[in-house]
Each structure stands twice: as structure tokens, then as C-alpha cells.
Amino acid sequence: MSGAVTAILIVLIAVGGLTTGVVTYFRLQRHRADAVAMANYRKLAEEAVARQEAVENRLRELDSRLMEIERMLRSID
């Protein structure tokens, strides 16, 4: 009887270790995928900020040109 209990305990410990290893592996893979997604998101956010700054600069340029045109039109009157 004691031999059977020992064998069952050894099998349960081995299965528990294997299960823990598999769960840890998939948790690590999910973490890696999240890290890649976050890196892509960060890159996208940086690009969005750069484009927003470019649009802001262009709007400032157009605003100054519009002010110059308005000044010219007022001087004609």
C-alpha cells in the first residue's frame, strides 16, 4: 500500500511541476506579446505627436500668411 501511495505522490508532483511549467511558459508568451504591442503603440504615439506638431507649424505659417493678406487688403481700401 505504501508503494502505491509513493508512486501516486511522485506522479502528482511530476504532473504539478509540468503544469506549472506550461502555465508559466504561456504567461511569458502573453507578456512578450503585450510588450511588442506596447512598443508598437508607443511608436504610433510618437508618430502622431510628430505629425501633430507638423500640422501646428503649417497652421501657424498659414495664419501668418492670412494676416499678411488681410493687412494688404486693408491697405488697399
Side-chain angles (χ1 to χ4, degrees), residues 11 17 19 23 25-27 33-34 39-40 43 47-48 53 62 66 69 76:
V11 169
T19 302
V23 168
Y25 173 77
F26 284 112
R27 189 175 296 156
D34 289 345
N40 289 338
K43 182 179 177 184
E47 289 175 3
E53 289 173 352
L62 290 173
L66 181 61
I69 291 171
I76 293 173

Side-chain angles (χ1 to χ4, degrees), residues 3-77:
V5 172
T6 304
I8 290 173
L9 285 176
I10 290 172
V11 169
L12 286 176
I13 290 171
V15 169
L18 184 63
T19 302
T20 302
V22 169
V23 168
T24 303
Y25 173 77
F26 284 112
R27 189 175 296 156
L28 175 65
Q29 292 301 323
R30 186 176 58 214
H31 177 70
R32 286 182 181 172
D34 289 345
V36 168
M38 186 58 74
N40 289 338
Y41 175 75
R42 188 172 294 125
K43 182 179 177 184
L44 182 64
E46 289 172 357
E47 289 175 3
V49 168
R51 287 182 182 173
Q52 184 177 6
E53 289 173 352
V55 168
E56 253 179 55
N57 291 336
R58 181 71 175 145
L59 283 174
R60 280 191 205 111
E61 178 187 325
L62 290 173
D63 190 39
S64 66
R65 291 173 72 183
L66 181 61
M67 286 179 161
E68 182 65 27
I69 291 171
E70 287 175 350
R71 188 189 61 78
M72 289 172 55
L73 287 174
R74 285 190 185 115
S75 70
I76 293 173
D77 287 338

